[in-house]
Amino acid sequence: MLALRLARGAHPLVQLRRLLVAAAAAGTGFLLLCTLAYAMEHPGAGSVLRLAWCVAPIAATVYFAVAVARTDPGTRPRAGLSAVGLGPARLRVLAAISTAVACALGSMVALLVFLHLRGDLSGLPFDGAAAELLAAERPLPLAAALTLLTVVPLAASATSAAALRPRSAKAGGVEEPAAPAPAPSGLPWGVALLAAGLAVETYASGRGGGPGGGLPMPGGADGNPAGILAGWALTALGLALAGPGLTYLCGRVLQAARPGAVRLLAGRVLQEEARRIGRPLGVVCAVASGAYASAVLYAGPRPGVGPLTTLGALLVAGCAVLTLATAAVEARQSRADTTAALLRLGAPATMLRGSAALRAGALTTVFAPLTWLVAELAALPLGR
Amino acid sequence: MVAPPDNDVLWARALHVTHNGSPALTGVSLGVREGEILAVSGPRGSGKTTLLRCLSGQLLPQQGEVWFNSSPVHTMGPLVRERLRRDRFGWIDPEPHLVPELTAWENVALPLMLRGGSHRSAKPAAQEWLERLDIGGCARKRPHALLQAERQRVAVARALVTTPSVIFADEPTAPLHRADRAHVLRTLTTAARSHGITVVLATHDPELAALADRAVTLLDGRRVKTVHLPDTDAPPGPGPAAGAARASEAGTAPGAGPGAGPGPSDAEGRAACSLSV
């Protein structure tokens, strides 16, 4: 009940974030139900693979839900709640509950839309618009549908509870300056994985996996050897691992060589927030390079992209971008005290905005060419 | 609009401020003379911080006027007030509020750099002030590695480094022990006197208020002449906070300011006293 009460009184922007989580969960739930419908229609080997492809949107949704749970002001340790015994440990439970509520809401919407499009629920436009696609003539196995729909809420709430476990004994309200975060160490690993991924991909395509020789892609564009997919996965993992290290380096370069106030603040903040910003940024880059490569892949004389593939791709891309935005909000929240102190000193608000813009610009100048390069290299073997 | 007296660097008349409906200041007037150290004393919740925020242009009073060097602060736009704070005022919080990502000397040099000073010129100035406050050895440490007293001294150095016209110190020694307290305050007052800086010092501690040239006492958002606390020998913490303050107009105020206006504010002060007894 407390979770609901806290959720009810929240700021509209916080509600919007929760609503976005619900929307992502709805999209993922709908994809899962469509996979179920396909499996009912075509009981064969292909449906397992389709289900496996749903892992990507599920992972993206869970990732986004955890990022939102982190920024949720309701789950932040607060001096008042801490005093009445509602410390970080109990707040973790609250976070898990509110994440589960948002995701369950999304799953409900997915089920309603699915039933509606099948024609089971009537009285609205588009009744049974996709009846034959969604296996309307067969009864829906309720247990299977519910199992699929509980995957996202359970995974999201369990992950957010794990992610929010109290790391230190720091209670809310105690203002002690935190020790500077050590430099992220993932950069060499990230670069190594990136290179390995590109190499695997090139090697696999060089071996010439003929049509029909490998895993089918969603949307019918089959004939891609598993090697290319493994290469893609390695590349994406490498980018996500290299993100924090690259961000840290960006900050380090920004504040080097006799900085003024703007460069000093921008660089140091970037160094401090490298982990928080860098990881989602790396994921966004990985998704972007994947999108570029798949654009090249589907541009060829192959079957077009189905609506469900588009939905899945949109879910993954949207969740990645929204997670980055949420991480930026989280970084801003954690620096609110310092910003207030700077404003009291008379720091112009334009200077603070300029510093933020400088940070964004530096990250863009580093990550945009990198993404483009990785995408070009990844798409190179596909184009042949 | 009445022009303020010429010898006052800061001058406030009949300030009225309410925080979300609850009155914080009701008709406070005062003048701060050039180069003096003025203590604003009073128990917690008596409106000291609100008064300082009004005087420094962070908060606009709902009624009343604030003049700085014959220019009206209460009619300035937010950008002009921001520049005024940056160029002419210094501010010390009860908590140090240092930027955690910057080292001690960078924190001190930040106001100079915000004013457009170069890195090259700001560094020796910051280092010099740190030396003067006996924390030259901490220059390269980050705030997390400093003791609370050292942090507060860094904050004092940050306020002094630009040699502003006025420094507003809002309970600058609140989180410190008594030994550190005296030291921090002594360094602040010495530096202010040697550089001709005006200091407005908010404190609930009568001992600290005694270090100032002049003291102004607030009680429940009104200016009163003196406050006799029930037991002045008691340790300074809980005594004033208990709010058992008894004010009497018979006591001698250590010099009522010329802008203090003996009319309405005193009457309001008396009203407050009779209420609080």
Side-chain angles (χ1 to χ4, degrees):
Chain A
M1 280 321 278
L2 181 62
L4 289 181
R5 274 173 197 279
L6 284 177
R8 203 183 55 185
H11 190 266
L13 211 62
V14 179
Q15 304 286 25
L16 178 71
R17 287 205 288 269
R18 290 190 187 129
L19 216 60
L20 284 173
V21 170
T28 311
F30 186 71
L31 271 185
L32 285 169
L33 286 178
C34 290
T35 314
L36 177 66
Y38 181 85
M40 289 191 300
E41 193 78 4
H42 314 273
S47 47
V48 175
L49 208 63
R50 277 179 163 247
L51 195 61
W53 273 107
C54 286
V55 169
I58 290 176
T61 308
V62 169
Y63 187 51
F64 177 48
V66 169
V68 168
R70 265 182 207 281
T71 43
D72 203 333
T75 64
R76 195 164 292 276
R78 280 187 273 187
L81 288 181
S82 202
V84 298
L86 207 63
R90 289 293 300 278
L91 283 177
R92 198 167 70 138
V93 178
L94 280 188
I97 291 176
S98 53
T99 308
V101 166
C103 291
L105 185 70
S107 291
M108 285 282 297
V109 172
L111 184 63
L112 286 180
V113 170
F114 179 73
L115 291 179
H116 176 58
L117 287 184
R118 257 167 67 99
D120 292 347
L121 300 177
S122 54
L124 287 169
F126 303 113
D127 262 342
E132 65 273 29
L133 193 68
L134 299 179
E137 66 277 14
R138 290 164 200 272
L140 185 68
L142 193 66
L146 287 183
T147 309
L148 285 178
L149 283 178
T150 48
V151 165
V152 173
L154 283 183
S157 59
T159 321
S160 58
L164 285 172
R165 72 182 173 278
R167 273 174 291 264
S168 61
K170 192 177 161 192
V174 180
E175 285 185 32
E176 270 291 295
S185 56
L187 189 57
W189 281 106
V191 173
L193 278 179
L194 196 61
L198 289 175
V200 165
E201 204 175 317
T202 316
Y203 177 73
S205 70
R207 290 280 296 269
L215 294 170
M217 293 283 282
D222 54 5
N224 292 281
I228 288 190
L229 284 179
W232 265 14
L234 279 181
T235 320
L237 193 63
L239 269 175
L241 275 181
L246 279 177
T247 313
Y248 187 84
L249 280 184
C250 274
R252 194 157 182 157
V253 170
L254 262 186
Q255 55 95 45
R258 300 192 179 278
V262 177
R263 270 206 300 139
L264 188 65
L265 282 176
R268 288 289 167 82
V269 171
L270 210 50
Q271 277 179 298
E272 193 62 35
E273 305 289 338
R275 238 167 256 271
R276 197 173 279 164
I277 295 290
R279 183 130 318 142
L281 193 58
V283 171
V284 166
C285 287
V287 169
S289 67
Y292 182 88
S294 34
V296 168
L297 177 67
Y298 287 111
R302 304 192 188 213
V305 187
L308 292 184
T309 316
T310 317
L311 177 63
L314 276 181
L315 270 176
V316 172
C319 282
V321 171
L322 285 174
T323 307
L324 180 60
T326 315
V329 169
E330 190 191 354
R332 217 181 86 176
Q333 278 176 357
S334 73
R335 301 187 37 76
D337 277 351
T338 312
T339 311
L342 282 174
L343 287 176
R344 269 199 299 278
L345 277 183
T350 47
M351 196 277 291
L352 296 180
R353 276 198 287 274
S355 157
L358 187 62
R359 260 174 276 161
L363 288 180
T364 315
T365 41
V366 169
F367 278 87
L370 175 75
T371 311
W372 178 78
L373 186 72
V374 170
E376 276 291 338
L377 286 177
L380 209 56
L382 299 175
R384 277 187 283 181
Chain B
M1 213 177 267
V2 190
D6 286 340
N7 55 346
D8 283 356
V9 61
L10 261 178
W11 187 75
R13 195 172 73 84
L15 294 178
H16 283 265
V17 177
T18 56
H19 289 315
N20 220 352
S22 60
L25 289 180
T26 39
V28 173
S29 304
L30 89 166
V32 186
R33 291 182 214 133
E34 179 94 45
E36 78 169 343
I37 295 176
L38 173 74
V40 178
S41 59
R44 278 175 167 238
S46 58
K48 302 186 296 289
T49 303
T50 311
L51 178 62
L52 258 63
R53 291 185 66 206
C54 279
L55 291 177
S56 65
Q58 293 180 40
L59 183 73
L60 279 185
Q62 272 107 25
Q63 285 174 40
E65 298 168 9
V66 179
W67 294 74
F68 170 69
N69 276 348
S70 310
S71 55
V73 178
H74 55 282
T75 56
M76 290 175 180
L79 288 179
V80 184
R81 278 185 282 128
E82 190 180 280
R83 200 163 60 226
L84 182 73
R85 278 208 302 281
R86 188 162 67 242
D87 294 345
R88 313 300 299 272
F89 293 163
W91 179 271
I92 305 173
D93 269 314
E95 299 278 326
H97 282 309
L98 303 177
V99 181
E101 291 89 359
L102 305 184
T103 60
W105 80 260
E106 284 164 340
N107 264 297
V108 175
L110 193 60
L112 288 176
M113 292 202 251
L114 287 177
R115 286 176 166 197
S118 70
H119 188 91
R120 194 189 293 269
S121 64
K123 188 168 181 177
Q127 190 65 44
E128 193 189 327
W129 274 107
L130 286 175
E131 298 284 353
R132 247 181 248 182
L133 296 183
D134 291 345
I135 39 169
C138 307
R140 299 197 153 274
K141 287 186 188 169
R142 296 235 182 149
H144 76 96
L146 298 177
L147 301 175
Q148 184 73 354
E150 291 169 339
R151 283 183 211 141
Q152 193 65 19
R153 264 183 254 174
V154 173
V156 171
R158 182 173 66 176
L160 283 166
V161 71
T162 53
T163 51
S165 306
V166 186
I167 287 185
F168 298 94
D170 180 16
E171 303 258 9
T173 55
L176 303 182
H177 289 179
R178 295 170 70 92
D180 294 328
R181 209 176 263 204
H183 190 202
V184 165
L185 211 67
R186 209 176 306 128
T187 48
L188 172 64
T189 48
T190 314
R193 285 191 210 281
S194 62
H195 287 76
I197 300 172
T198 312
V199 177
V200 183
L201 174 73
T203 177
H204 66 261
D205 189 346
E207 277 178 47
L208 297 185
L211 284 174
D213 299 331
R214 196 157 68 86
V216 165
T217 307
L218 291 184
L219 185 65
D220 296 342
R222 293 181 164 88
R223 193 171 158 187
V224 294
K225 279 195 163 180
T226 45
V227 177
H228 288 305
L229 298 169
D231 187 7
T232 37
D233 294 334
R246 203 174 301 129
S248 85
E249 59 272 34
T252 50
S265 73
D266 272 7
E268 281 165 342
R270 245 171 253 134
C273 306
S274 57
L275 280 176
S276 66
V277 168

